[in-house]
Structures are given as structure tokens and as C-alpha cells.
């Protein structure tokens, strides 16, 4: 089963071997085992990875003998610990740069955008593309099909078909790693390198992996935040509370939903316009303040120059008559 799921890269090969597997173990009528999902995006997660990750995290704070009161208290400690770790990771993402493993301009493109954790996953694919044999099979009007061969062992080789469209800059590999996990595979990177592509299309740089992503879950408060709850979080809670009733009412029909959508669009446009005006006003105030400082500096320099001129040794005017004009 593991071989069929992880080592077969085409739908036809998977379907053929998967049907043989179902027949051999008499699973033909099982609906849970009848869906092909390799073309669906799963953010790189396995079937049980989410629950296993949560179990591992909470096991550091609670045991099976913990009371309900202890659980509530330790749950808050869990949140505080996780928030602290995220702050540390965010600080590292913005102040520390992981060196590129290759001289690829594409790797540098990901280096500047992605978080450290995700960039290291991308970097592993760049390292893996080094010993790949890439051959062009045929090309038509900028659309080229490649065969990428990688050596698994001394006598085992895997072959992958990769297509590249020079016009749309779209690359697609038979292994479907990007479609499944959101990361370009080493086979696609080999083809992009062969095509001498310096920058990948924006569709291959996912916002979810960006170091600049907004963390909406930070608006959710826990008991340790209550005494020092940030004003923004308070405003967020109030807005959620006020919008809940109208959303519940509008969802009763398509017409009411449409009215609310238009109202939301109007409010969003007005708030964005206000935000832009505020930024422009702030920039203008900053420029005016800077210009004012420069004018004062120029005025001071002019007076100092005049004083220096009148106090020059070769002038015939008495020095003491003009010292009052000097700033120094």
C-alpha cells in the first residue's frame, strides 16, 4: 500500500496498481479507498500529521492524570508558549538570512520571501536537483516536454515527465509535488534551470509561506491576555460581535446575502481610502517637518556666514560691534 501511494507518479499507474491492491485484499466496496487525491492541495500534510502534531505539543504540558482545572491552566500556558515561539521565529525571519545553497536566482527569490522553515524545505529541492539528467523530448510553439531522470540506487532510476510553457512560464511535473504540497519539486527546478529562467511566476510563490503573512489567529484571546488585552484585539472582538447578527440574518437568502456583500465592499473601499489618505497626510507632515528643519538649518548657516564675514581679520570694522550676530 505504501509503495502504491508514494512511489507511483501517474494517475494511470496509480489506478492500475491501486485496483490490484483493492482486489487482492477484498476492499473493492470500501468508499474510503476509492478516491484519487494527488491533484488536491494538502499543504504537505499527511493524513494523521495534524492530530499527531497536536498530541506531541500538548504532551509537554498535560498528562492523562491531569485534572480539568489543570488542563484549563495548562492550555493557556500552551498558547502562551506557542505565541512566544512564533514571535521568536518572526524575529529570526526578518533579522537573519539563511545563505543560499546554490547560485540560482530562483532560490534567492524564495530566500527573500519565505519563512526560514519553509525556505529550508525549498532549499532541499534545490540541493536535490544537482544530479538530475534533463532531456528535451519535443517542443511546439514554446511548449516543451522534458524527461528528467534521477538515480535512486546503483541500479534504480526514476523517470519524470515535466512540461514547460515559455509563454505563460508554467511548469508542471508528473510527481505533482507543487499541486500536493505547494513547493516546486527538484524535477521542475531542473527544467527551469535548463531553460535559464531567473524568476518563477507569482503563482509558485504562495502567500501562506510568506514571512509577511498576517496572523489572524493573534486576534483570539486567552485568559492570560485578559489583563493586558491589546486595544486592537478589543476592537476586533466588538466588530465580530456586532457583525454576527447581521450575517446570520443575511444568510437566510441569496438576495439578502448579495445586499450584505455590496455593503461590505463599500465599507472596505471607504476604509482603504481613509487609510490611504492617512498615509498621504502622514507623509506630507513628515516632509513639511523635514523642510522646516532644513530651512532653519539654512537660516542658521546664513547668519553664521554673515557673522564670519563681518568678523574676518582683514575687515576694517571693529570685531566687538558684530559678535552679537554669531550663534557660536
Amino acid at each position: 500500500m505504501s509503495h502504491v501511494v508514494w512511489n507511483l507518479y501517474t494517475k494511470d499507474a496509480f489506478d492500475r496498481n491501486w485496483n490490484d491492491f483493492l482486489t487482492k485484499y477484498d476492499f473493492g466496496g470500501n468508499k474510503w479507498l476509492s478516491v484519487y487525491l494527488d491533484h488536491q492541495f494538502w499543504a504537505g500534510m499527511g493524513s494523521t500529521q495534524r492530530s499527531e502534531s497536536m498530541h506531541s505539543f500538548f504532551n509537554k504540558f498535560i498528562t492523562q492524570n491531569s485534572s480539568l482545572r489543570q488542563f484549563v491552566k495548562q492550555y493557556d500556558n500552551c498558547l502562551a508558549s506557542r505565541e512566544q515561539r512564533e514571535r521568536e521565529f518572526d524575529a529570526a525571519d526578518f533579522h537573519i538570512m539563511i545563505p543560499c545553497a546554490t547560485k540560482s536566482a530562483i532560490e534567492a527569490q524564495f530566500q527573500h520571501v519565505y519563512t526560514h522553515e519553509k525556505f529550508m524545505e525549498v532549499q532541499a529541492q534545490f540541493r536535490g536537483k544537482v544530479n538530475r539528467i534533463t532531456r528535451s523530448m519535443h517542443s511546439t510553439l514554446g511548449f516543451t516536454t522534458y524527461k528528467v531522470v534521477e538515480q535512486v540506487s546503483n541500479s534504480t532510476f526514476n523517470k519524470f515527465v515535466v512540461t514547460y510553457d515559455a509563454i505563460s512560464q508554467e511548469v508542471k511535473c508528473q510527481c505533482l509535488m507543487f499541486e500536493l504540497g505547494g513547493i516546486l519539486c527538484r524535477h521542475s527546478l531542473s527544467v527551469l534551470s535548463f531553460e535559464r529562467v531567473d524568476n518563477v511566476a507569482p503563482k509558485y510563490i504562495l502567500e501562506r509561506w510568506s514571512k509577511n503573512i498576517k496572523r489572524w489567529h493573534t486576534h483570539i484571546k486567552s485568559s492570560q491576555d485578559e489583563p493586558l488585552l491589546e486595544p486592537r484585539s478589543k476592537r476586533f472582538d466588538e466588530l465580530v460581535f456586532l457583525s454576527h447578527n447581521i450575517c446570520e440574518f443575511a444568510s437566510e437568502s441569496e438576495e439578502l446575502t448579495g445586499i450584505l456583500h455590496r455593503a461590505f465592499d463599500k465599507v472596505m473601499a471607504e476604509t482603504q481610502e481613509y487609510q490611504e489618505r492617512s498615509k498621504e497626510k502622514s507623509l506630507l507632515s513628515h516632509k513639511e517637518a523635514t523642510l522646516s528643519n532644513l530651512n532653519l538649518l539654512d537660516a542658521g548657516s546664513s547668519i553664521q556666514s554673515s557673522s564670519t564675514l563681518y568678523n574676518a581679520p582683514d575687515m576694517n570694522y571693529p570685531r566687538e560691534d558684530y559678535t552679537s550676530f554669531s550663534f557660536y
Side-chain angles (χ1 to χ4, degrees):
M1 180 178 180
S2 179
H3 169 73
V4 174
V5 171
W6 299 111
N7 298 331
L8 298 176
Y9 299 103
T10 66
K11 187 176 186 306
D12 293 337
F14 173 83
D15 287 340
R16 183 171 58 254
N17 286 271
W18 186 253
N19 290 332
D20 291 342
F21 166 77
L22 297 181
T23 301
K24 180 177 180 180
Y25 295 100
D26 195 24
F27 290 145
N30 193 316
K31 295 181 179 180
W32 290 97
L33 302 176
S34 61
V35 182
Y36 179 79
L37 294 173
D38 265 3
H39 61 291
Q40 301 292 337
F41 178 69
W42 291 94
M45 291 193 303
S47 59
T48 60
Q49 181 178 340
R50 185 177 181 87
S51 60
E52 290 173 354
S53 175
M54 283 297 172
H55 293 165
S56 175
F57 178 69
F58 278 105
N59 284 342
K60 301 174 185 176
F61 297 89
I62 59 176
T63 67
Q64 60 181 358
N65 297 322
S66 299
S67 65
L68 182 59
R69 181 178 180 180
Q70 289 173 328
F71 171 79
V72 173
K73 183 177 180 180
Q74 289 299 88
Y75 177 79
D76 284 335
N77 291 334
C78 286
L79 293 184
S81 172
R82 175 58 62 91
E83 289 175 4
Q84 179 61 29
R85 286 190 61 193
E86 288 187 352
R87 292 190 190 98
E88 293 172 357
F89 288 150
D90 288 343
D93 288 337
F94 284 102
H95 296 96
I96 301 174
M97 187 74 73
I98 297 178
C100 289
T102 68
K103 296 181 179 180
S104 171
I106 298 178
E107 184 184 1
Q109 187 180 5
F110 286 108
Q111 178 196 42
H112 290 290
V113 178
Y114 277 7
T115 64
H116 285 179
E117 184 177 0
K118 191 53 61 174
F119 176 63
M120 286 189 288
E121 294 181 27
V122 174
Q123 206 170 48
Q125 297 302 314
F126 277 93
R127 291 193 182 97
K129 78 179 182 67
V130 176
N131 295 319
R132 299 289 176 277
I133 302 173
T134 305
R135 295 192 182 96
S136 175
M137 297 170 61
H138 54 80
S139 178
T140 305
L141 299 175
F143 187 85
T144 310
T145 302
Y146 289 90
K147 179 184 289 184
V148 180
V149 181
E150 65 177 3
Q151 187 173 6
V152 180
S153 63
N154 291 334
S155 58
T156 305
F157 294 84
N158 286 336
K159 300 177 181 179
F160 299 88
V161 175
V162 182
T163 58
Y164 177 71
D165 188 343
I167 299 176
S168 63
Q169 295 185 327
E170 182 175 348
V171 62
K172 188 169 184 178
C173 181
Q174 189 178 18
C175 74
L176 297 176
M177 182 175 185
F178 178 77
E179 288 76 7
L180 179 65
I183 295 177
L184 284 175
C185 63
R186 53 192 177 276
H187 321 113
S188 297
L189 294 173
S190 296
V191 169
L192 293 175
S193 177
F194 191 85
E195 289 278 349
R196 298 186 178 182
V197 176
D198 292 331
N199 292 282
V200 296
K203 65 175 289 185
Y204 298 113
I205 302 178
L206 302 188
E207 187 180 8
R208 67 183 299 122
W209 312 137
S210 171
K211 66 178 70 174
N212 296 313
I213 193 69
K214 293 182 179 179
R215 301 180 185 275
W216 296 110
H217 68 271
T218 56
H219 295 309
I220 302 173
K221 65 177 183 290
S222 57
S223 61
Q224 81 267 5
D225 298 325
E226 192 65 36
L228 300 174
L229 193 60
E230 295 182 0
R232 182 176 180 180
S233 297
K234 290 183 178 180
R235 294 194 297 268
F236 179 82
D237 289 342
E238 291 173 359
L239 291 171
V240 170
F241 177 78
L242 292 173
S243 62
H244 180 269
N245 290 338
I246 190 171
C247 288
E248 186 175 5
F249 175 75
S251 63
E252 294 179 357
S253 70
E254 290 290 341
E255 292 76 11
L256 291 175
T257 301
I259 293 174
L260 187 58
H261 272 299
R262 290 191 293 273
F264 279 154
D265 291 339
K266 182 179 179 180
V267 170
M268 179 61 74
E270 291 180 357
T271 53
Q272 289 176 342
E273 183 181 353
Y274 173 81
Q275 193 174 35
E276 289 298 324
R277 287 200 306 268
S278 299
K279 288 181 180 178
E280 292 175 0
K281 186 177 180 180
S282 177
L283 289 173
L284 183 60
S285 300
H286 177 72
K287 289 180 179 178
E288 290 176 348
T290 304
L291 184 59
S292 177
N293 291 336
L294 288 174
N295 291 335
L296 287 173
L297 182 61
D298 290 341
S301 299
S302 299
I303 295 174
Q304 181 186 0
S305 299
S306 300
S307 174
T308 304
L309 177 63
Y310 285 121
N311 289 312
D314 56 342
M315 300 296 290
N316 296 321
Y317 303 104
R319 182 181 180 90
E320 59 272 18
D321 293 342
Y322 299 96
T323 51
S324 60
F325 288 98
S326 178
F327 282 100
Y328 304 96

